[in-house]
């Protein structure tokens, strides 16, 4: 192969599937049974089936037709005449169909499941453990068991009542069932795993003790803040100044608020008092400073109080989250009990188990236990690969790239990252494409698929200009650059597209849903579809 490590930056409609299929076919048509040495990974079962159909369909077409553009591309790149390539396609198709189990295109969850099955004994897991695919059922049962303990477990009851009271204070329903289920879903988010693991062995007493400790710190902080406020007012009084000597009495009133128990930073620091203190402009123009060091002393204590106010706000925020965290940990313990009793393992735990136990094993050992050895890796939708998933794959991929003819083929588009909620890290793809990071010896060759073959010219123009214009609103320079450089798609020959943006100005109307529905209906009539053309209309809404 020309290079073992290829990265394709593929925006929507740019021929990603065509490129991926072509690269896969080039390997399996280069040598006999090469498909047995390939692991292709994607994220959904639907994508797996589509990829398999595309590859098998291409092999079938090659066996009967040599005129397709892909056939011609592969023939040229492999330097094979049409007859030889056609014969190889026929033989390879037959081999795959007769040995279909070795045709390994899989979701990443299925692959990690196989790894865990292989290492079940080493991980001290029951050999016949059952994978929980429906997280909601497991969570509902854990929450029900937790609520049923209320009234019998005094400390748990106290925590659940506190949780319900917090909801009431926030003008929400006192019924905690729905909120417990909602907060419990954090347990199955890969991003939270390392943090929740530290709390797994903590009991309710530990959280209550922490809560009391933080409350004491808050009270002490408030006393210190008020004490400094009193000292500042005394300093002003001792210097012979009156409140009326200050413009609008802003400075003395600031510290009077603090003494009266106002600790809200948004109410204390929404003025130019600090700026004036730094500039030494805190007295009326007609009043002279009694002493040169007075302004410096007041500024010093003002800044000291400000730091204490923000520190107190942090403590209050932590204090407010102790009860939900206690509840979350209690749910976590109920989930673990159910899993232990029934030999269950949730699919969300796969990556963390492999990361903790397997990643430090030498790659050849992992291959030996799997009973197969991959030389080529294809990873589709790489922008949605989580950090843990990628770290788990690196030892295997590194072993392949260290051998002769090993390869890695990544396809992704950071702009399409939608799985951050389950640990997806688009930044990983950005760092690889920008060559800021590379865990392998082989240098990547980054190729950009520039042409959008799917959309019409007017839509491509709109997308390019729109996303480039909104790039200024992004704070990170890397994201700004992504939206500028990543939205320069070239147009195809298809024209006739149309983009219209319209807004409803009726802010005082009670039922906006009806207005939106009528506006959408008017647009459909405006397009005036005929017959089957209705099939080409899709209406997207923000929520169900």
């Amino acid at each position: 192969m020309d290079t073992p490590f290829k990265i394709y930056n593929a925006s929507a409609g740019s021929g990603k599937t065509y490129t991926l299929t072509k690269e896969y076919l080039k390997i399996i048509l280069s040598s006999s049974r090469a498909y047995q040495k390939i692991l292709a990974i994607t994220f959904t079962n639907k994508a797996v089936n589509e990829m398999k159909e595309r590859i098998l369909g291409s092999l079938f077409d090659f066996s009967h037709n040599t005129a397709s553009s892909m056939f011609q591309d592969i023939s040229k790149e492999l330097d094979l005449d049409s007859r030889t390539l056609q014969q190889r396609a026929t033989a390879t198709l037959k081999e795959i169909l007769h040995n279909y189990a070795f045709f390994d295109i899989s979701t990443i969850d299925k692959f990690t499941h196989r790894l865990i099955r292989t290492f079940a004994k080493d991980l001290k897991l029951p050999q016949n453990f059952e994978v929980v695919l429906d997280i909601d059922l497991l969570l509902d049962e854990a929450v029900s068991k937790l609520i049923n303990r209320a009234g019998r477990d005094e400390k748990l009851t106290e925590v659940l009542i506190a949780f319900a009271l917090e909801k009431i204070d926030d003008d929400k329903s006192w019924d905690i069932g729905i909120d417990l289920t909602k907060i419990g879903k954090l347990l199955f988010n890969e991003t939270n795993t390392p943090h929740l693991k530290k709390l797994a062995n903590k009991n309710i007493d530990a959280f209550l003790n922490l809560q009391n400790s933080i409350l004491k710190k808050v009270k002490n902080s408030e006393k210190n803040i008020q004490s400094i406020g009193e000292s500042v007012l005394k300093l002003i009084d001792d210097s012979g100044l009156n409140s009326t000597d200050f413009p609008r009495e802003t400075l003395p009133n600031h510290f009077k608020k603090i003494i009266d128990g106002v600790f809200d930073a948004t109410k204390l620091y929404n003025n130019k008092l600090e700026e004036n203190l730094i500039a030494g402009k805190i007295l009326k123009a007609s009043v002279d400073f009694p002493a040169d060091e007075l302004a410096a002393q007041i500024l010093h204590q003002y800044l000291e109080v400000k730091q204490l106010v923000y520190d107190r706000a942090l403590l209050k925020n932590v204090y407010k989250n102790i009860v939900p965290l206690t509840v979350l940990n209690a749910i976590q313990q109920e989930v673990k009990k159910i899993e232990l009793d029934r030999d269950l393992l949730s699919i969300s735990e796969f990556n963390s188990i492999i990361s903790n136990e397997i990643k430090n094993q030498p790659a050849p050992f992992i291959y030996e236990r799997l009973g197969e050895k991959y030389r080529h890796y294809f990873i589709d939708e790489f922008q949605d690969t989580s950090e843990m998933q990628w770290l788990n794959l690196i030892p295997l991929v590194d072993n392949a790239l260290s051998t002769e003819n090993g390869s890695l083929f990544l396809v992704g588009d950071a702009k399409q990252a939608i799985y951050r909620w389950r640990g997806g890290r688009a930044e990983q793809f950005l760092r690889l494409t920008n060559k800021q990071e590379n865990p392998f010896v082989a240098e990547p060759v980054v190729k950009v698929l520039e042409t959008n073959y799917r959309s019409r010219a007017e839509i491509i123009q709109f997308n390019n200009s729109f996303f480039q214009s909104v790039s200024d609103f992004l704070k990170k320079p890397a994201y700004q650059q992504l939206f500028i450089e990543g939205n320069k798609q070239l147009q195809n020959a298809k024209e006739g597209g149309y983009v219209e943006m319209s807004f409803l100005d009726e802010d005082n109307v009670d039922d906006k849903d009806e207005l939106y529905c009528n506006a959408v209906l008017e647009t459909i009539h405006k397009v005036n579809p005929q017959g089957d053309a209705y099939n080409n209309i899709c209406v997207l809404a923000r929520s169900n």
Side-chain angles (χ1 to χ4, degrees):
M1 296 181 63
D2 49 347
T3 178
F5 185 6
K6 292 181 181 179
I7 302 175
Y8 275 86
N9 199 337
S11 296
S14 61
K16 177 196 73 172
T17 305
Y18 178 93
T19 304
L20 192 151
T21 303
K22 186 184 75 172
E23 293 293 331
Y24 190 102
L25 289 171
K26 281 167 60 179
I27 294 175
I28 65 175
L29 293 172
S30 295
S31 61
S32 178
R33 300 187 180 277
Y35 67 92
Q36 297 183 5
K37 298 177 182 178
I38 301 176
L39 174 64
I41 291 175
T42 187
F43 281 83
T44 65
N45 288 319
K46 182 181 179 182
V48 167
N49 293 331
E50 287 176 352
M51 194 182 297
K52 285 184 174 181
E53 288 175 8
R54 189 70 176 262
I55 291 167
L56 294 176
S58 296
L59 289 172
F60 181 81
D61 288 342
F62 289 1
S63 303
H64 299 83
N65 176 22
T66 63
S68 70
S69 59
M70 185 179 291
F71 185 96
Q72 297 299 326
D73 287 345
I74 293 176
S75 176
K76 181 179 179 181
E77 291 178 31
L78 293 182
D79 194 22
L80 295 173
D81 60 76
S82 297
R83 181 176 177 80
T84 302
L85 183 58
Q86 193 170 36
Q87 290 173 343
R88 288 191 182 184
T90 303
T92 302
L93 178 60
K94 185 177 181 180
E95 284 178 3
I96 292 176
L97 294 177
H98 285 178
N99 301 276
Y100 197 74
F102 293 96
F103 183 40
D104 217 340
I105 300 175
S106 168
T107 64
I108 195 162
D109 287 333
K110 185 177 179 181
F111 177 66
T112 51
H113 181 202
R114 284 168 54 199
L115 278 179
I116 289 177
R117 285 284 183 199
T118 303
F119 283 84
K121 186 176 180 180
D122 304 75
L123 300 172
K124 296 181 176 57
L125 297 173
Q127 289 288 343
N128 59 341
F129 70 82
E130 181 182 345
V131 179
V132 179
L133 298 175
D134 193 337
I135 300 300
D136 290 338
L137 285 176
L138 176 62
L139 189 56
D140 287 343
E141 183 176 352
V143 168
S144 296
K145 286 180 177 289
L146 189 71
I147 294 175
N148 287 337
R149 285 170 52 197
R152 292 181 285 115
D153 187 324
E154 184 178 342
K155 290 178 179 175
L156 176 63
T157 304
E158 182 183 337
V159 170
L160 292 178
I161 290 173
F163 186 66
L165 290 175
E166 284 186 6
K167 290 184 68 223
I168 293 172
D169 289 341
D170 292 336
D171 294 327
K172 295 180 181 178
S173 169
W174 59 268
D175 184 2
I176 63 175
I178 295 174
D179 287 84
L180 289 177
T181 302
K182 186 177 180 180
I183 198 174
K185 290 184 177 180
L186 294 171
L187 297 172
F188 305 100
N189 186 324
E190 183 182 298
T191 308
N192 302 324
T193 301
H195 309 294
L196 291 170
K197 189 176 180 181
K198 297 175 183 176
L199 304 175
N201 297 321
K202 303 292 183 183
N203 55 28
I204 291 177
D205 282 334
F207 286 95
L208 294 177
N209 290 337
L210 176 62
Q211 190 178 40
N212 291 332
S213 175
I214 291 173
L215 186 58
K216 287 179 182 177
K217 289 182 178 181
V218 170
K219 296 297 182 184
N220 289 335
S221 180
E222 290 174 353
K223 287 180 181 178
N224 291 336
I225 293 169
Q226 289 174 320
S227 176
I228 296 173
E230 290 171 352
S231 69
V232 171
L233 291 182
K234 186 176 184 304
L235 181 66
I236 292 172
D237 189 53
D238 291 345
S239 68
L241 293 172
N242 296 315
S243 295
T244 54
D245 293 330
F246 298 87
R248 295 192 295 276
E249 300 184 24
T250 303
L251 179 66
N253 285 340
H254 172 81
F255 289 102
K256 285 176 182 177
K257 286 179 186 177
I258 288 170
I259 294 170
D260 292 338
V262 176
F263 304 108
D264 186 347
T266 59
K267 294 179 180 178
L268 293 173
Y269 303 108
N270 60 349
N271 50 46
K272 294 185 177 181
L273 184 55
E274 181 176 344
E275 183 181 325
N276 291 334
L277 275 168
I278 294 172
K281 299 177 181 179
I282 58 172
L283 295 175
K284 291 180 178 178
S286 59
V287 180
D288 295 325
F289 268 108
D292 293 337
E293 67 274 8
L294 180 63
Q297 287 178 301
I298 294 175
L299 174 61
H300 174 75
Q301 291 184 303
Y302 173 91
L303 295 175
E304 187 179 356
V305 166
K306 184 178 181 181
Q307 184 61 53
L308 287 171
V309 166
Y310 279 103
D311 289 345
R312 175 197 170 274
L314 175 62
L315 288 170
K316 286 289 287 184
N317 195 29
V318 173
Y319 179 82
K320 184 179 179 181
N321 284 282
I322 292 293
V323 170
L325 194 59
T326 309
V327 171
L328 181 62
N329 195 53
I331 297 172
Q332 178 177 225
Q333 292 173 347
E334 287 292 343
V335 168
K336 291 300 178 186
K337 285 179 186 176
I338 296 171
E339 290 180 338
L340 192 61
D341 289 343
R342 301 182 194 167
D343 292 341
L344 301 178
L345 193 64
S346 66
I347 197 167
S348 62
E349 296 176 82
F350 285 0
N351 293 313
S352 60
I353 289 174
I354 293 174
S355 177
N356 294 332
E357 305 292 342
I358 298 177
K359 68 178 182 181
N360 293 323
Q361 299 285 354
F365 174 67
I366 297 177
Y367 284 128
E368 183 181 338
R369 296 294 292 274
L370 279 173
E372 53 203 340
K373 185 173 183 179
Y374 300 113
R375 291 276 186 88
H376 309 281
Y377 288 86
F378 284 71
I379 304 178
D380 191 16
E381 305 292 359
F382 185 79
Q383 74 277 354
D384 292 324
T385 305
S386 75
E387 188 172 24
M388 204 174 286
Q389 287 170 336
W390 178 229
L391 290 175
N392 290 342
L393 288 170
I394 283 175
L396 302 179
V397 175
D398 186 53
N399 185 75
L401 290 177
S402 300
T403 60
E404 188 178 358
N405 295 327
S407 68
L408 171 62
F409 184 89
L410 302 181
V411 182
D413 178 14
K415 301 188 301 301
Q416 297 186 59
I418 60 172
Y419 282 101
R420 189 176 292 273
W421 56 271
R422 56 167 276 179
R425 295 292 302 273
E427 291 84 355
Q428 288 182 145
F429 188 62
L430 282 175
R431 289 195 294 268
L432 283 171
T433 54
N434 295 335
K435 298 187 178 181
Q436 295 174 330
E437 184 179 286
N438 181 16
F440 311 115
V441 175
E443 279 294 315
V445 172
V446 181
K447 299 183 180 181
V448 179
L449 301 180
E450 297 178 322
T451 304
N452 185 326
Y453 298 99
R454 181 188 303 160
S455 305
R456 295 182 184 272
E458 292 79 3
I459 295 173
I460 298 170
Q461 290 171 6
F462 171 79
N463 284 340
N464 286 344
S465 59
F466 176 79
F467 286 107
Q468 286 184 37
S469 65
V470 299
S471 64
D472 291 337
F473 295 99
L474 300 173
K475 294 181 179 179
K476 290 188 177 182
Y479 291 169
Q480 288 184 343
Q481 193 66 15
L482 170 67
F483 269 61
I484 294 171
E485 298 299 326
N487 289 287
K488 294 181 177 179
Q489 282 194 300
L490 302 179
Q491 301 168 22
N492 56 61
K494 294 189 290 186
E495 295 183 350
Y498 179 73
V499 178
E500 177 184 306
M501 298 179 70
S502 58
F503 303 89
L504 299 180
D505 296 327
E506 293 82 353
D507 292 330
N508 298 322
V509 178
D510 292 331
D511 190 3
K512 286 190 176 182
D513 288 343
E514 185 175 351
L515 284 176
Y516 283 117
C517 290
N518 289 333
V520 171
L521 185 60
E522 287 177 13
T523 303
I524 293 173
H525 289 322
K526 182 179 178 181
V527 174
N528 192 26
Q530 301 293 325
D532 292 339
Y534 280 103
N535 293 337
N536 297 322
I537 295 177
C538 176
V539 178
L540 299 178
R542 179 176 290 276
S543 64
N544 293 325

